[in-house]
Amino acid sequence: MYVLPQDTRKRLAIALLTLGLGMPLPVAADPARAREAIRQGRQRWQSQDLEGAIAAYQQAAQLQPDNAGIALSLGFLFSEQKRWPEAIAAFERATALDRRNARAFFGLGFAKASQGDYAGASEAYRQAANLNPQDVDALRGLAFAQTRQEDWRAASQTFRQLLGRRPRDVTAHLNLGYVLQRQGDLREAATVFQQADRLAPSTPTCCLPWPRSWPNATKWIKPCKPTAGCCNCAPATAMPT
């Protein structure tokens, strides 16, 4: 077996020691400093200093890497700046730390939909809806992502679920009618449009992006200009305490 000469071993040991001294040491959890960083982040957020708020929350995340609330706040901040890849990473971190956090899954769905990952958005919105069945915005987001994937059957089921909670939601009726029409169920679509007309006869509106040429148009619906993400409700940005 080859053995390094003693002077070579010494030089190697010195080199390794020098390298080790130059490496950053892991940051220990420090609740007091983390709370102060969160306080500064909240203050900067409220004053619309988003870059400063992000820097403060990132410092807090280094001090408390297992704090799901900090990761969630970073996801919201990155979303406000439309920095979607970073928002997705932050929301994924939050959901990994807290699998019961419906708001983290909702934020993840919103960010993924904004990036065009509608399959990923559907899964995140579905998780949010399962965790908080009363959250109609999660159902709206899920239906939006499903329509973007042209999964008409799933979208119609989601809109019916939404209408079960909000039976007087006109846009949900209109969107369900649109989905039914895309499925080829024109009779049922007309019935749903009539229901929407009875709820709001004077100002018909739509929420989903419509195709350029509206096939089989009825008097109950007025096409609107496509607005990407208009049904993809943005998450509320509540700061951690």
Side-chain angles (χ1 to χ4, degrees):
M1 181 178 66
Y2 178 73
V3 179
L4 288 172
Q6 185 175 2
D7 59 337
T8 303
R9 293 201 302 272
K10 287 182 179 179
R11 287 198 300 271
L12 181 59
I14 293 171
L16 289 172
L17 178 61
T18 303
L19 178 64
L21 290 174
M23 294 175 62
L25 295 174
V27 179
D30 189 334
R33 288 179 60 197
R35 284 194 296 271
E36 174 59 22
I38 291 171
R39 186 194 66 78
Q40 292 179 11
R42 184 187 302 113
Q43 188 176 60
R44 291 169 184 173
W45 197 344
Q46 289 171 340
S47 64
Q48 290 301 302
D49 177 12
L50 299 185
E51 289 293 345
I54 287 171
Y57 278 109
Q58 285 176 328
Q59 181 186 9
Q62 289 181 337
L63 295 166
Q64 285 193 327
D66 294 333
N67 187 317
I70 294 171
L72 182 63
S73 294
L74 282 169
F76 288 145
L77 283 162
F78 287 131
S79 294
E80 284 198 46
Q81 293 196 319
K82 302 187 187 313
R83 292 162 61 176
W84 305 120
E86 292 161 291
I88 289 169
F91 285 129
E92 286 180 337
R93 175 68 177 164
T95 58
L97 290 170
D98 183 1
R99 300 296 297 175
R100 305 290 302 172
N101 193 322
R103 292 176 63 242
F105 280 106
F106 184 89
L108 180 59
F110 178 78
K112 287 195 171 186
S114 299
Q115 275 285 92
D117 178 7
Y118 299 114
S122 292
E123 180 57 32
Y125 279 132
R126 189 176 292 107
Q127 289 274 13
N130 288 339
L131 289 168
N132 185 5
Q134 301 309 312
D135 185 359
V136 294
D137 285 338
L139 292 175
R140 288 193 182 100
L142 176 57
F144 171 82
Q146 289 166 336
T147 56
R148 285 296 197 176
Q149 297 174 90
E150 299 188 357
D151 188 351
W152 308 120
R153 183 178 299 278
S156 66
Q157 292 173 349
T158 303
F159 278 124
R160 290 185 191 281
Q161 189 178 356
L162 172 58
L163 285 169
R165 291 168 172 75
R166 296 285 180 88
R168 299 187 62 81
D169 189 323
V170 177
T171 55
H173 278 91
L174 294 171
N175 290 328
L176 176 57
Y178 167 76
V179 168
L180 289 169
Q181 194 166 49
R182 293 302 299 265
Q183 282 185 276
D185 191 348
L186 303 184
R187 185 182 299 275
E188 180 65 17
T191 300
V192 172
F193 287 143
Q194 287 175 334
Q195 291 169 348
D197 188 52
R198 285 194 292 270
L199 289 170
S202 58
T203 55
T205 57
C206 63
C207 184
L208 290 176
W210 300 102
R212 291 184 179 179
S213 60
W214 175 253
N216 305 310
T218 77
K219 68 176 182 179
W220 298 291
I221 189 67
K222 176 177 66 177
C224 65
K225 293 180 66 176
T227 306
C230 61
C231 238
N232 189 19
C233 307
T237 54
M239 291 166 278
T241 56

